[in-house]
Amino acid sequence: MTPPVRCALIGAAGQLGFDLARTFDLPGELVRLTHADLDLLDAQATARVLRGLRPTLVVNTAAYNQVDRAEDDHAAAFALNAEAVGALADVCDSLGATLVHFSTDYVFDGRRARPYNEDDAPGPLSRYGESKLAGERLALAGGRRAFVFRVCGLFGVARSAGKGGTNFVETMLRLAREGRAIRVVRDQVLTPSYTLDLAPKVWRVVARGRHGLYHLTNAGATSWYDFAREIFRLSGLTPDLAVVALGPGAFVVSPGLGDLLLGLLDQRLRVGRDLAALRLLDEILGLLDDDGAVERPRRRSDGHEQAQDEDDRDACHAPPPPELRGMVKR
């Protein structure tokens, strides 16, 4: 039987953090921490907050996730994705707490024809990927009691601050309703993953207590363009949608640096929900208010959730597509 935990969830209002919070099912207590409660870039304040909470489990979903900007702003990317992770791991060690951290498929160069597994040597092509790989290594250094989950193409109901306070589904629905011309890339293929599918699997792996590195995704693969096309089919909208071709007034969705070479993670822990997009659209359409905003959870003083409409900059790396019926499968 799993002993009770006191879990501190960092980035609780981001896409992944939101779904980790609402699926938490370990025995014990969950403490939700947003950026207002804890700023990982302030190592001393982070240590002070965590020592006050005395957690036995610390789950970190905070990340610098602006892939293109990291090429010029790599110091900021490394500060949050690597240095802050190392400092957090040190605090966890001092408290005897287990650390759960999240990384990305960007640690690979994407040149393999097959999906990557945990034993494959990383080779990031971008500053963002380098910063995430450095964070992985710091989290796991010295045989620490830590879990690192590499994820790919996250999307969810909660909005991602790193992508302008929204996610791909919400952006497509909004642009279609505004009557905008939409141009989306089709040459990026990845394994997209719904955060509400992944979150329960995270808790299940953590409960087993087998520390180490894991790849965790949904099943299947698709392009951003095919994802957008399916969103509009399911929602009954018929916007001006085409494969990317720059033109006046068009909204262009393009991949970040290195996206064209991204490799698919080996889906050893894949969740594999064929109807993930249908469930996501149902949730988003059900939560949209008259202004197109999505209600978000807010942490009250008693630790429970209540609705709010605000963003949190601690979102994990963010939007695109899920496995959808009628799309490309591998």
Side-chain angles (χ1 to χ4, degrees), residues 258-276:
D259 271 323
L260 298 181
L261 296 176
L262 281 182
L264 302 177
L265 298 181
D266 180 39
Q267 298 159 16
R268 186 168 300 178
L269 294 176
R270 66 186 179 184
V271 183
R273 291 191 179 271
D274 290 335
L275 300 181

Side-chain angles (χ1 to χ4, degrees), residues 37-39 91 295:
D37 302 309
L38 186 149
D39 182 357
V91 174
E295 291 190 341

